[in-house]
Amino acid sequence: MKRASPPAGPDIEVYTVLVRTALAQSGHLLERAIESTRRALQAREDQARTPGESHSAMHARQHLARVSFVMCERFPNALEQAIAKGADRQQAATRSLFSVQFDELELMDESQLSESVERARARQLLTEAVATPLTELNALMSAAQGQSSVDPGHNPLQPELFLQALQTIVGQMQPSDTVRRDWMTHMAEAMGAELRALYLQLIAQMQESGIKPAGYAVRQQGGNYVYIKPIGEEGHAPGFGPETAPWRMGSAQPTAEAAPTAGPDSTRLTLHQLRRLLTGELTDGPAPEMPFSERFSREFESPPSNVAAPPPDFDITVPAAFEALQEMQQVDHMMKRLGSRGPLSTPAATAIAPRSAKTALGQALSMEVVALMLDNIARDGRLLWPVQQLVKQLEPALLKLAVADPRFFSDKDHPARRLLQEMTDRSLAFDSLEAQGFESFMQPLIDVVGPLTHSPIEDQEPFAHALGQLLDAWATREKKRENERLRAIEALRHAEQRNLLAARMSQEMRLLPQIDAIPAEIARFLLGPWTQVMAQARLSDQSGSNDPGRYREAVDALLWSAQPKLTRINVGRLGRLVPKLLSRLHAGLAAIDYPAAETHKFFELLMQLHQQAFVPGRMEEAASNAPTPPKRSNASTLETDEPWIAPSEAAESGFMGEPSGHQPTSPEDDEARRPATPSAPTLAMDVGTWVTLLVNDKWERTQLSWIGSHGNLFLFTNAYGHTQSMTRRLLDKLIARGTLRVISGQTVVAGALDAVAQTALRNSLETGDGI
C-alpha cells in the first residue's frame, strides 16, 4: 500500500523546503559530530593511564581524521537512502535493525554480537538526547502534511534513520572493531546533540510559518479516538522508542502484539551469556565446532604456539579462577531469583549438581531463560486466562528440562518447544471462554499438561509423548475442519492454474490482427472469460487434443461474426454459423459456471451484432451506435490482473468479493467497527498468522492457512473449519480499511524468546557487556 500524497498548500511547501534543506546540510551536521568525536578521543588519549589505552585512542582519532572528509561527503546520500528504506519498512512492517531475535543469536559471531549491542547503545544515546523536541517535531511534521493526528511515519527525519546512515558510512570506512566502537561511542552522543539542535531549529521555523501541531490519537474504551496534546517529558518520543511502545502500535494501552517482558533488574542475563548458552559453550560435553573464521584467526593470527606452557599440575590460572568466581556469583544471583518464585522452581533447583562453575552457569542460565520466557507467555494478553494458567503449570517440568536438555532453546523442532507452540498458537483461535469449540480445545490440554507437572524429567521423551497425545486428540476433533480446508485449497489451486494458463492464452490472442476490429465488449469477453473456458478445457482434457472442446476454433468464428461489415457480405455463412457458435459458447461458459446474468448480457450484445447483418437499411445507424473498437495500445486494459474464481470455487473456498453492503461513513464509525485487539497491519504475512476479519458485520478470528504460489490468492480458516479466501488486492483494501487486522505476526513462543533476547540486550547496555 502506498501512502497517499499529501495535499498541496503552503504548509506542505514549508515542509518540503525544510526537509530538503536538512538533507542538504546533513553533511555539515556530521562534520560537527566528527569534530566533537575527535576532541573526545583527544581528551581520552591525554587522560589515558596505560600506553595501550593511549595508543587505542590515538589510532581511532588519526583514522577518523583521515576519512572524515569522505564520510561527510557520503552522508547526505546515505541518509536519503535510509529515509527511502524507512518508508518501505513503514509499509512492509519489517523488523527494526536495532532489535535482536533469539533464534539468530546462535548464528552470530562475537563481532556481530558486539555490533548489535553497540547499535542499541548508540540508539539509546540518541533517544535520550532528542526525546522532548522529537515529540513536538513529529506533531508539526504530521500537521504540515495535512494529518489531523500524529503519525511518526510522516516525519522523514527520524533519529533512527540518521543513525542507520551513520552506521552505513562508518562501515564503508572499514575500521577495526575496536576503532568502530571508539567512534560510535562518542559519535552517537555528539550526533544526539546536533540532532536536538536541528529539531529545535525546525520546530521554530515551522511555528514561525504558522503550522499548528497535530494531536496524538488515543483510542478510548468505546473505540473512538480522542486527540491529546503531544507530551515528550516521559518515556520515549513517538517515532523513536521500542517497537512495543503504545504509540507505535496505534493504542494508548500496552498491546498484545508483543509479549510483555521482565524488567531489566530482574535478571543479569546478557547477550554474550545467552549466545554461549545456545552454542553449547556452557556444558561439559564436547566443544561445538568452531566457525571457520574464528578457527583461522586462532591458528594463523594468534601468537606463536612455542610460548612456554604452564606446569601440567597448574589447572586453574589466577584469571581463570577469578572468572570462575564471577560465574558462581552470577549463579547465586540467578538461583536466588528463581528461588523467590516459590515452590515451582525447587525441584529443578535441587537438580543442579554441576561439575564446574561453567556448567553451573549454563544450568542457571537455562533456567533463567525458561523463567523469563514463561513469564512473557503467561502475561501475553492474546491468550485466554486458562491457557496462561496451563503455561504456568508447565514451569517445573520445563525448568527440569532446561537443566537436562539445553537443546530446547536452539532446536525449533524440540518436542517441548513444539508443545508450547501448539498449545499457545492454536489458542489464538478463541477470543472468549464462550467461543464455540473452546472447551473441546482445552480438555486435551488439561489431560496432557497435568501428568507432565509431576513427571520425572530427564530428557525430551515425556514432552514428545505428550505432544503426540495432544496432536492425536486434536486431529480427531479437527478432521472435518481439515477436510474443509483441503477442499478449499484444492479449489483455489485449480483456479490459480486455470488463471495462469488463461493469462498466457490471452497474451497470444491479443496478437490476432482482427482483435482491433471488433467491439470492445466482445474483445474483453474473448481475452477474459473465454480464455478461462479454453484453459479449463485444457486442464480437464485427458485426450491430448490441441483444441479440447473446439473452443479455440470458436474464437475465429466469433471474431468474424462480430464484424457486421464482413457478415453482410456473406449472410448465408452467418446463418449456418450462428447455431453452432451459440451452442459452443453456451457449453463453454457452462463448463466454468459463468454467471447467468453476465452470460445473458453477452449474448444480447452478440445477437444485436448478428442482426445488423440481416438489416442492411440500419447499417449506418447501427455503426454509429456500435461500441468503439479498442486500440492495440490499450489492449492491456481489456483484462485484469485479478484472478477469476468460478462460483463453485468461490462457494468451496468462501471467496470474498468486494464489499457491497454498508460502508463506514466516518472515521469514528470505522473505528467503532474494529475489534478491541490491536495489531500492526502487514502485508508480509506468513502461513499460520492469526488475524481478525470482519465477516457479515461480525468480527471473527481466523488463520492464514494457504498462499497461492504467485502470491495473489489467500485462504483463511477459523477454528470451526470455515474458510474465507480473497485476492491480494482485496487483502490490501481490507487492511487499509481496518477490517482485517493481524493478531500475531509470529508464534507466541518465538515472540516470548525474542523478548528474552531484548531483555538480555538491555542488560548488556547496563552492564557494558560487549560495548
Side-chain angles (χ1 to χ4, degrees), residues 613-659:
F614 298 97
V615 188
R618 296 177 56 192
M619 182 190 234
E620 270 108 25
E621 179 184 351
S624 63
N625 293 332
T628 303
K631 297 181 180 179
R632 183 174 298 279
S633 60
N634 295 327
S636 60
T637 62
L638 299 177
E639 305 148 87
T640 174
D641 293 334
E642 288 289 272
W644 182 76
I645 307 298
S648 58
E649 295 162 345
E652 192 70 67
S653 63
F655 186 74
M656 299 176 65
E658 285 290 339

Tab-separated table of all heavy atoms in Angstrom, residues 613-659:
chain	number	residue	atom	x	y	z
A	613	ALA	N	-26.385	-7.713	-39.671
A	613	ALA	CA	-26.082	-8.295	-40.982
A	613	ALA	C	-27.347	-8.544	-41.788
A	613	ALA	O	-27.320	-8.535	-43.027
A	613	ALA	CB	-25.321	-9.605	-40.812
A	614	PHE	N	-28.486	-8.742	-41.112
A	614	PHE	CA	-29.742	-9.053	-41.795
A	614	PHE	C	-30.605	-7.811	-42.016
A	614	PHE	O	-31.679	-7.912	-42.594
A	614	PHE	CB	-30.536	-10.078	-40.988
A	614	PHE	CG	-29.826	-11.400	-40.833
A	614	PHE	CD1	-29.091	-11.687	-39.689
A	614	PHE	CD2	-29.864	-12.343	-41.848
A	614	PHE	CE1	-28.428	-12.896	-39.548
A	614	PHE	CE2	-29.209	-13.555	-41.719
A	614	PHE	CZ	-28.475	-13.842	-40.564
A	615	VAL	N	-30.189	-6.648	-41.551
A	615	VAL	CA	-30.979	-5.419	-41.712
A	615	VAL	C	-30.097	-4.374	-42.390
A	615	VAL	O	-29.547	-3.479	-41.740
A	615	VAL	CB	-31.494	-4.892	-40.352
A	615	VAL	CG1	-32.473	-3.728	-40.574
A	615	VAL	CG2	-32.122	-6.001	-39.552
A	616	PRO	N	-29.908	-4.450	-43.675
A	616	PRO	CA	-28.999	-3.531	-44.380
A	616	PRO	C	-29.392	-2.071	-44.228
A	616	PRO	O	-28.548	-1.186	-44.165
A	616	PRO	CB	-29.103	-3.966	-45.839
A	616	PRO	CG	-29.612	-5.384	-45.791
A	616	PRO	CD	-30.504	-5.460	-44.601
A	617	GLY	N	-30.695	-1.798	-44.137
A	617	GLY	CA	-31.134	-0.404	-44.061
A	617	GLY	C	-30.671	0.292	-42.794
A	617	GLY	O	-30.659	1.520	-42.746
A	618	ARG	N	-30.327	-0.458	-41.733
A	618	ARG	CA	-29.931	0.170	-40.470
A	618	ARG	C	-28.414	0.171	-40.306
A	618	ARG	O	-27.893	0.314	-39.230
A	618	ARG	CB	-30.561	-0.600	-39.296
A	618	ARG	CG	-32.084	-0.526	-39.300
A	618	ARG	CD	-32.677	-1.358	-38.185
A	618	ARG	NE	-32.130	-0.955	-36.873
A	618	ARG	CZ	-32.316	-1.677	-35.771
A	618	ARG	NH1	-32.993	-2.798	-35.821
A	618	ARG	NH2	-31.807	-1.258	-34.630
A	619	MET	N	-27.748	-0.006	-41.400
A	619	MET	CA	-26.288	-0.150	-41.355
A	619	MET	C	-25.603	1.045	-40.701
A	619	MET	O	-24.815	0.924	-39.778
A	619	MET	CB	-25.759	-0.338	-42.768
A	619	MET	CG	-24.264	-0.535	-42.814
A	619	MET	SD	-23.797	-0.454	-44.459
A	619	MET	CE	-23.044	-1.567	-44.943
A	620	GLU	N	-25.906	2.284	-41.205
A	620	GLU	CA	-25.225	3.460	-40.664
A	620	GLU	C	-25.590	3.715	-39.223
A	620	GLU	O	-24.758	4.066	-38.403
A	620	GLU	CB	-25.564	4.681	-41.504
A	620	GLU	CG	-24.547	4.834	-42.619
A	620	GLU	CD	-25.097	4.506	-43.921
A	620	GLU	OE1	-26.268	4.645	-43.974
A	620	GLU	OE2	-24.374	4.116	-44.834
A	621	GLU	N	-26.919	3.551	-38.922
A	621	GLU	CA	-27.366	3.796	-37.554
A	621	GLU	C	-26.702	2.819	-36.587
A	621	GLU	O	-26.247	3.196	-35.511
A	621	GLU	CB	-28.889	3.641	-37.477
A	621	GLU	CG	-29.429	3.860	-36.069
A	621	GLU	CD	-30.920	3.593	-36.008
A	621	GLU	OE1	-31.534	3.409	-37.075
A	621	GLU	OE2	-31.448	3.554	-34.893
A	622	ALA	N	-26.636	1.550	-36.995
A	622	ALA	CA	-26.008	0.550	-36.126
A	622	ALA	C	-24.535	0.837	-35.954
A	622	ALA	O	-23.977	0.681	-34.873
A	622	ALA	CB	-26.209	-0.843	-36.723
A	623	ALA	N	-23.909	1.268	-37.049
A	623	ALA	CA	-22.479	1.547	-36.954
A	623	ALA	C	-22.210	2.696	-35.993
A	623	ALA	O	-21.227	2.700	-35.252
A	623	ALA	CB	-21.923	1.858	-38.336
A	624	SER	N	-23.102	3.694	-36.023
A	624	SER	CA	-22.874	4.845	-35.137
A	624	SER	C	-23.119	4.500	-33.685
A	624	SER	O	-22.544	5.102	-32.785
A	624	SER	CB	-23.789	6.002	-35.556
A	624	SER	OG	-25.156	5.623	-35.408
A	625	ASN	N	-24.020	3.526	-33.429
A	625	ASN	CA	-24.324	3.133	-32.052
A	625	ASN	C	-23.423	2.028	-31.536
A	625	ASN	O	-23.445	1.710	-30.348
A	625	ASN	CB	-25.780	2.658	-31.952
A	625	ASN	CG	-26.749	3.802	-32.199
A	625	ASN	OD1	-26.438	4.964	-31.945
A	625	ASN	ND2	-27.932	3.469	-32.725
A	626	ALA	N	-22.666	1.411	-32.445
A	626	ALA	CA	-21.812	0.293	-32.032
A	626	ALA	C	-20.677	0.793	-31.142
A	626	ALA	O	-20.196	1.910	-31.293
A	626	ALA	CB	-21.239	-0.410	-33.252
A	627	PRO	N	-20.263	-0.033	-30.193
A	627	PRO	CA	-19.148	0.371	-29.327
A	627	PRO	C	-17.884	0.610	-30.136
A	627	PRO	O	-17.652	-0.007	-31.171
A	627	PRO	CB	-18.964	-0.841	-28.385
A	627	PRO	CG	-20.254	-1.591	-28.479
A	627	PRO	CD	-20.782	-1.354	-29.862
A	628	THR	N	-17.077	1.541	-29.690
A	628	THR	CA	-15.821	1.860	-30.381
A	628	THR	C	-14.828	0.734	-30.191
A	628	THR	O	-14.580	0.306	-29.055
A	628	THR	CB	-15.216	3.161	-29.806
A	628	THR	OG1	-16.190	4.199	-29.939
A	628	THR	CG2	-13.946	3.534	-30.559
A	629	PRO	N	-14.246	0.229	-31.278
A	629	PRO	CA	-13.253	-0.846	-31.137
A	629	PRO	C	-12.052	-0.355	-30.346
A	629	PRO	O	-11.681	0.810	-30.418
A	629	PRO	CB	-12.867	-1.163	-32.590
A	629	PRO	CG	-13.965	-0.603	-33.412
A	629	PRO	CD	-14.485	0.574	-32.677
A	630	PRO	N	-11.436	-1.257	-29.590
A	630	PRO	CA	-10.272	-0.861	-28.805
A	630	PRO	C	-9.051	-0.697	-29.680
A	630	PRO	O	-8.941	-1.314	-30.734
A	630	PRO	CB	-10.086	-2.038	-27.839
A	630	PRO	CG	-10.623	-3.205	-28.599
A	630	PRO	CD	-11.763	-2.682	-29.428
A	631	LYS	N	-8.132	0.152	-29.267
A	631	LYS	CA	-6.853	0.290	-29.937
A	631	LYS	C	-5.874	-0.706	-29.356
A	631	LYS	O	-5.942	-1.040	-28.183
A	631	LYS	CB	-6.324	1.714	-29.775
A	631	LYS	CG	-7.206	2.768	-30.425
A	631	LYS	CD	-6.605	4.149	-30.235
A	631	LYS	CE	-7.496	5.213	-30.885
A	631	LYS	NZ	-6.932	6.573	-30.685
A	632	ARG	N	-4.930	-1.133	-30.187
A	632	ARG	CA	-3.978	-2.143	-29.739
A	632	ARG	C	-3.186	-1.633	-28.542
A	632	ARG	O	-2.852	-2.375	-27.633
A	632	ARG	CB	-3.031	-2.518	-30.868
A	632	ARG	CG	-2.066	-3.612	-30.476
A	632	ARG	CD	-1.241	-4.076	-31.655
A	632	ARG	NE	-2.062	-4.652	-32.705
A	632	ARG	CZ	-2.504	-5.904	-32.670
A	632	ARG	NH1	-2.227	-6.687	-31.657
A	632	ARG	NH2	-3.239	-6.383	-33.658
A	633	SER	N	-2.873	-0.336	-28.505
A	633	SER	CA	-2.076	0.197	-27.401
A	633	SER	C	-2.803	0.096	-26.076
A	633	SER	O	-2.191	0.127	-25.020
A	633	SER	CB	-1.709	1.660	-27.668
A	633	SER	OG	-2.884	2.445	-27.805
A	634	ASN	N	-4.150	0.004	-26.137
A	634	ASN	CA	-4.927	-0.094	-24.910
A	634	ASN	C	-5.425	-1.504	-24.663
A	634	ASN	O	-6.301	-1.722	-23.835
A	634	ASN	CB	-6.133	0.860	-24.959
A	634	ASN	CG	-5.692	2.305	-24.984
A	634	ASN	OD1	-4.677	2.644	-24.395
A	634	ASN	ND2	-6.452	3.145	-25.678
A	635	ALA	N	-4.884	-2.472	-25.386
A	635	ALA	CA	-5.400	-3.836	-25.275
A	635	ALA	C	-5.229	-4.376	-23.865
A	635	ALA	O	-6.031	-5.180	-23.408
A	635	ALA	CB	-4.686	-4.749	-26.269
A	636	SER	N	-4.201	-3.939	-23.153
A	636	SER	CA	-3.962	-4.467	-21.805
A	636	SER	C	-5.067	-4.087	-20.850
A	636	SER	O	-5.264	-4.738	-19.828
A	636	SER	CB	-2.622	-3.956	-21.263
A	636	SER	OG	-2.631	-2.542	-21.201
A	637	THR	N	-5.844	-3.010	-21.178
A	637	THR	CA	-6.912	-2.598	-20.275
A	637	THR	C	-8.119	-3.514	-20.387
A	637	THR	O	-9.051	-3.393	-19.605
A	637	THR	CB	-7.350	-1.160	-20.603
A	637	THR	OG1	-7.877	-1.118	-21.937
A	637	THR	CG2	-6.163	-0.210	-20.516
A	638	LEU	N	-8.124	-4.421	-21.375
A	638	LEU	CA	-9.260	-5.316	-21.541
A	638	LEU	C	-9.236	-6.454	-20.538
A	638	LEU	O	-10.183	-7.195	-20.408
A	638	LEU	CB	-9.259	-5.884	-22.967
A	638	LEU	CG	-9.378	-4.839	-24.081
A	638	LEU	CD1	-9.284	-5.518	-25.420
A	638	LEU	CD2	-10.647	-4.044	-23.937
A	639	GLU	N	-8.122	-6.616	-19.854
A	639	GLU	CA	-8.010	-7.704	-18.897
A	639	GLU	C	-7.729	-7.135	-17.515
A	639	GLU	O	-7.415	-5.964	-17.357
A	639	GLU	CB	-6.877	-8.653	-19.279
A	639	GLU	CG	-7.000	-9.193	-20.677
A	639	GLU	CD	-5.629	-9.411	-21.260
A	639	GLU	OE1	-5.080	-10.497	-21.049
A	639	GLU	OE2	-5.107	-8.499	-21.885
A	640	THR	N	-7.807	-7.957	-16.520
A	640	THR	CA	-7.483	-7.550	-15.164
A	640	THR	C	-6.453	-8.510	-14.588
A	640	THR	O	-6.409	-9.679	-14.963
A	640	THR	CB	-8.751	-7.554	-14.271
A	640	THR	OG1	-8.360	-7.285	-12.927
A	640	THR	CG2	-9.466	-8.894	-14.317
A	641	ASP	N	-5.607	-7.977	-13.732
A	641	ASP	CA	-4.609	-8.824	-13.084
A	641	ASP	C	-5.225	-9.708	-12.005
A	641	ASP	O	-4.577	-10.610	-11.490
A	641	ASP	CB	-3.525	-7.949	-12.444
A	641	ASP	CG	-2.708	-7.221	-13.501
A	641	ASP	OD1	-2.631	-7.745	-14.616
A	641	ASP	OD2	-2.172	-6.138	-13.194
A	642	GLU	N	-6.474	-9.425	-11.666
A	642	GLU	CA	-7.136	-10.185	-10.626
A	642	GLU	C	-7.509	-11.584	-11.123
A	642	GLU	O	-8.064	-11.730	-12.226
A	642	GLU	CB	-8.409	-9.472	-10.177
A	642	GLU	CG	-8.153	-8.222	-9.357
A	642	GLU	CD	-7.627	-8.563	-7.981
A	642	GLU	OE1	-8.426	-8.774	-7.063
A	642	GLU	OE2	-6.401	-8.635	-7.832
A	643	PRO	N	-7.234	-12.630	-10.371
A	643	PRO	CA	-7.663	-13.974	-10.782
A	643	PRO	C	-9.181	-14.096	-10.742
A	643	PRO	O	-9.835	-13.528	-9.865
A	643	PRO	CB	-6.994	-14.886	-9.736
A	643	PRO	CG	-6.748	-14.005	-8.553
A	643	PRO	CD	-6.501	-12.640	-9.095
A	644	TRP	N	-9.720	-14.830	-11.716
A	644	TRP	CA	-11.162	-15.046	-11.741
A	644	TRP	C	-11.473	-16.363	-11.048
A	644	TRP	O	-10.865	-17.409	-11.319
A	644	TRP	CB	-11.673	-15.079	-13.179
A	644	TRP	CG	-13.165	-15.252	-13.237
A	644	TRP	CD1	-14.113	-14.312	-12.986
A	644	TRP	CD2	-13.874	-16.453	-13.529
A	644	TRP	NE1	-15.364	-14.832	-13.104
A	644	TRP	CE2	-15.259	-16.153	-13.441
A	644	TRP	CE3	-13.490	-17.752	-13.859
A	644	TRP	CZ2	-16.237	-17.102	-13.678
A	644	TRP	CZ3	-14.467	-18.696	-14.093
A	644	TRP	CH2	-15.829	-18.371	-14.003
A	645	ILE	N	-12.435	-16.324	-10.134
A	645	ILE	CA	-12.826	-17.508	-9.362
A	645	ILE	C	-14.227	-17.909	-9.791
A	645	ILE	O	-15.163	-17.093	-9.735
A	645	ILE	CB	-12.805	-17.216	-7.850
A	645	ILE	CG1	-11.451	-16.638	-7.427
A	645	ILE	CG2	-13.111	-18.481	-7.063
A	645	ILE	CD1	-10.277	-17.560	-7.662
A	646	ALA	N	-14.378	-19.142	-10.223
A	646	ALA	CA	-15.692	-19.639	-10.627
A	646	ALA	C	-16.606	-19.710	-9.414
A	646	ALA	O	-16.145	-19.887	-8.280
A	646	ALA	CB	-15.551	-21.015	-11.269
A	647	PRO	N	-17.928	-19.554	-9.627
A	647	PRO	CA	-18.851	-19.600	-8.488
A	647	PRO	C	-18.718	-20.852	-7.633
A	647	PRO	O	-18.799	-20.784	-6.406
A	647	PRO	CB	-20.232	-19.527	-9.168
A	647	PRO	CG	-19.971	-18.769	-10.426
A	647	PRO	CD	-18.615	-19.183	-10.872
A	648	SER	N	-18.500	-22.017	-8.270
A	648	SER	CA	-18.351	-23.248	-7.486
A	648	SER	C	-17.091	-23.196	-6.637
A	648	SER	O	-17.074	-23.647	-5.483
A	648	SER	CB	-18.302	-24.463	-8.415
A	648	SER	OG	-17.225	-24.340	-9.336
A	649	GLU	N	-16.014	-22.618	-7.184
A	649	GLU	CA	-14.773	-22.479	-6.427
A	649	GLU	C	-14.932	-21.453	-5.318
A	649	GLU	O	-14.386	-21.615	-4.213
A	649	GLU	CB	-13.638	-22.056	-7.368
A	649	GLU	CG	-13.314	-23.111	-8.415
A	649	GLU	CD	-12.532	-22.554	-9.579
A	649	GLU	OE1	-12.479	-21.321	-9.741
A	649	GLU	OE2	-11.977	-23.369	-10.353
A	650	ALA	N	-15.691	-20.399	-5.599
A	650	ALA	CA	-15.947	-19.385	-4.577
A	650	ALA	C	-16.739	-19.975	-3.419
A	650	ALA	O	-16.457	-19.700	-2.248
A	650	ALA	CB	-16.689	-18.205	-5.191
A	651	ALA	N	-17.730	-20.817	-3.741
A	651	ALA	CA	-18.528	-21.440	-2.683
A	651	ALA	C	-17.688	-22.407	-1.865
A	651	ALA	O	-17.821	-22.497	-0.641
A	651	ALA	CB	-19.728	-22.164	-3.304
A	652	GLU	N	-16.786	-23.133	-2.526
A	652	GLU	CA	-15.955	-24.118	-1.832
A	652	GLU	C	-14.954	-23.455	-0.904
A	652	GLU	O	-14.630	-23.997	0.164
A	652	GLU	CB	-15.214	-24.969	-2.869
A	652	GLU	CG	-14.545	-26.211	-2.307
A	652	GLU	CD	-15.555	-27.266	-1.875
A	652	GLU	OE1	-16.244	-27.835	-2.737
A	652	GLU	OE2	-15.645	-27.503	-0.646
A	653	SER	N	-14.448	-22.292	-1.280
A	653	SER	CA	-13.390	-21.646	-0.501
A	653	SER	C	-13.853	-20.430	0.287
A	653	SER	O	-13.055	-19.795	0.959
A	653	SER	CB	-12.254	-21.212	-1.435
A	653	SER	OG	-12.708	-20.237	-2.362
A	654	GLY	N	-15.136	-20.092	0.208
A	654	GLY	CA	-15.620	-18.908	0.916
A	654	GLY	C	-15.035	-17.632	0.337
A	654	GLY	O	-14.656	-16.724	1.077
A	655	PHE	N	-14.982	-17.549	-0.984
A	655	PHE	CA	-14.329	-16.422	-1.635
A	655	PHE	C	-15.070	-15.129	-1.345
A	655	PHE	O	-16.290	-15.052	-1.433
A	655	PHE	CB	-14.263	-16.656	-3.144
A	655	PHE	CG	-13.482	-15.616	-3.883
A	655	PHE	CD1	-12.097	-15.597	-3.811
A	655	PHE	CD2	-14.131	-14.656	-4.645
A	655	PHE	CE1	-11.369	-14.634	-4.497
A	655	PHE	CE2	-13.415	-13.699	-5.335
A	655	PHE	CZ	-12.025	-13.687	-5.251
A	656	MET	N	-14.300	-14.109	-0.990
A	656	MET	CA	-14.859	-12.804	-0.659
A	656	MET	C	-14.618	-11.850	-1.814
A	656	MET	O	-13.479	-11.619	-2.210
A	656	MET	CB	-14.218	-12.244	0.615
A	656	MET	CG	-14.437	-13.095	1.850
A	656	MET	SD	-13.570	-12.435	3.298
A	656	MET	CE	-14.437	-10.875	3.529
A	657	GLY	N	-15.717	-11.282	-2.343
A	657	GLY	CA	-15.589	-10.253	-3.359
A	657	GLY	C	-15.562	-8.886	-2.717
A	657	GLY	O	-15.490	-8.742	-1.493
A	658	GLU	N	-15.600	-7.856	-3.529
A	658	GLU	CA	-15.610	-6.501	-2.999
A	658	GLU	C	-16.868	-6.286	-2.174
A	658	GLU	O	-17.968	-6.635	-2.602
A	658	GLU	CB	-15.574	-5.484	-4.145
A	658	GLU	CG	-14.218	-5.348	-4.787
A	658	GLU	CD	-13.212	-4.682	-3.869
A	658	GLU	OE1	-13.626	-3.988	-2.937
A	658	GLU	OE2	-12.007	-4.870	-4.088
A	659	PRO	N	-16.748	-5.706	-0.954
A	659	PRO	CA	-17.927	-5.468	-0.122
A	659	PRO	C	-18.903	-4.542	-0.827
A	659	PRO	O	-18.508	-3.530	-1.391
A	659	PRO	CB	-17.344	-4.803	1.131
A	659	PRO	CG	-15.875	-5.036	1.078
A	659	PRO	CD	-15.521	-5.247	-0.341
